[in-house]
Amino acid sequence: MLIHGLFGSLDNLAMLRRELSADFNIISIDLPDHGKSQHSTQFSFEQYAESIIYLLNELSISKANIVGHSLGGKVAMQIALMNESLVDCLVVLDIAPVTYTPRHENVFNALLSVNLEQITDRKEANDIMAEYVAESSVRQFLLKSLYQDNKTQSWHWRFNLNLLYRDYSLLSKALEIGHSNDKPVLFLKGELSDYLQPQYTQQTIALFPNSRVRVIQGVGHWLHAEKPAECAKHIRTFLRN
């Protein structure tokens, strides 16, 4: 199972899915409050994890390998801690189970600055967001979730912007659970990313004592998009051992 990160959808891990599909049966999902999934009234790691556990039960899947990126990595870790027997191996892409200081203020400012009742196309939204987010690649990533309703011609974000903005402090928090998981865990770090730091090791090992870290050179937080073949190679090797 592949689980995407904040503001994303199942398409964000499409390159990784293509790299792994010859060797594994892949399930890609939209997290709650993202993509085409239902919107929630309040964020919690437990509720997100429970919704995925429920899906796997509905699909009669009793054991799975889970790969999660960023927020999806935290959710994947929460699943493993809540239901140890369900997760055979866990791969976490560039995130730790720790509390992070706010780092998406500019993204939220960009998204909230777009008046959905006034824009006529994505280019207008892109131009407005450029005032807050300089990186074109980040804007294009966000704009993948902007769509126009065919019937009403109105514009909408697929992700639940109001909830994610209101509860951002909750999804930035550490995972809080009183026991560990001894199953094998692979953490893949982007060399140029600051999401996985040495000072997070003790907190991570306390939850996942049978974990290891591999570094993908020359990439940042979006390691799965920048070097999908190398990421897939590490994942494939880990899952086969």
Side-chain angles (χ1 to χ4, degrees):
M1 172 171 276
L2 303 181
I3 309 178
H4 65 82
L6 181 62
F7 302 120
S9 71
L10 59 84
D11 290 336
N12 298 139
L13 298 179
M15 287 190 286
L16 193 57
R17 182 174 66 236
R18 285 193 290 271
E19 292 285 343
L20 294 170
S21 60
D23 302 283
F24 304 98
N25 296 319
I26 306 292
I27 299 174
S28 296
I29 65 164
D30 290 329
L31 280 172
D33 300 305
H34 293 77
K36 296 182 180 180
S37 288
Q38 292 184 341
H39 286 187
S40 308
T41 58
Q42 183 175 2
F43 173 86
S44 80
F45 288 112
E46 292 84 357
Q47 289 179 9
Y48 273 37
E50 286 171 357
S51 70
I52 296 171
I53 293 170
Y54 176 82
L55 171 63
L56 290 172
N57 288 335
E58 286 291 295
L59 295 173
S60 299
I61 296 173
S62 59
K63 194 174 290 292
N65 299 310
I66 300 184
V67 179
H69 171 247
S70 199
L71 173 61
K74 271 192 169 181
V75 174
M77 287 186 276
Q78 182 71 40
I79 295 169
L81 291 167
M82 288 173 57
N83 194 327
E84 184 171 349
S85 64
L86 180 62
V87 181
D88 197 18
C89 293
L90 178 64
V91 180
V92 180
L93 305 182
D94 211 56
I95 197 77
V98 303
T99 297
Y100 286 90
T101 57
R103 56 175 66 207
H104 290 92
E105 296 99 328
N106 61 328
V107 171
F108 279 116
N109 288 336
L111 295 170
L112 294 169
S113 70
V114 178
N115 189 329
L116 297 176
E117 296 180 357
Q118 294 184 359
I119 62 169
T120 58
D121 55 29
R122 283 188 178 83
K123 183 180 183 306
E124 284 188 35
N126 179 68
D127 292 343
I128 294 168
M129 292 166 62
E131 180 179 347
Y132 301 93
V133 177
E135 302 89 344
S136 176
S137 59
V138 175
R139 297 197 305 273
Q140 294 308 309
F141 160 72
L142 296 168
L143 288 168
K144 287 181 179 179
S145 292
L146 180 65
Y147 74 100
Q148 189 174 32
D149 186 282
N150 291 330
K151 293 182 179 179
T152 64
Q153 300 302 301
S154 56
W155 290 89
H156 306 272
W157 295 109
R158 292 200 183 277
F159 44 71
N160 190 350
L161 176 58
N162 290 334
L163 177 135
L164 296 175
Y165 178 63
R166 187 196 71 196
D167 290 354
Y168 180 72
S169 62
L170 298 178
L171 60 91
S172 299
K173 284 187 175 180
L175 300 183
E176 298 178 356
I177 198 159
H179 60 271
S180 61
N181 183 317
D182 294 330
K183 294 289 184 67
V185 182
L186 172 65
F187 287 87
L188 283 181
K189 169 181 167 51
E191 178 195 13
L192 307 178
S193 170
D194 63 352
Y195 274 82
L196 279 174
Q197 297 287 343
Q199 60 265 34
Y200 303 152
T201 301
Q202 183 175 355
Q203 197 168 346
T204 301
I205 291 294
L207 292 177
F208 301 101
N210 189 16
S211 61
R212 68 195 76 171
V213 179
R214 298 291 182 267
V215 179
I216 307 295
Q217 300 295 323
V219 299
H221 188 55
W222 300 94
L223 63 170
H224 59 88
E226 296 178 66
K227 289 190 176 180
E230 187 170 347
C231 283
K233 180 181 178 181
H234 281 284
I235 294 170
R236 193 181 296 111
T237 300
F238 174 68
L239 295 181
R240 283 177 171 172
N241 288 340

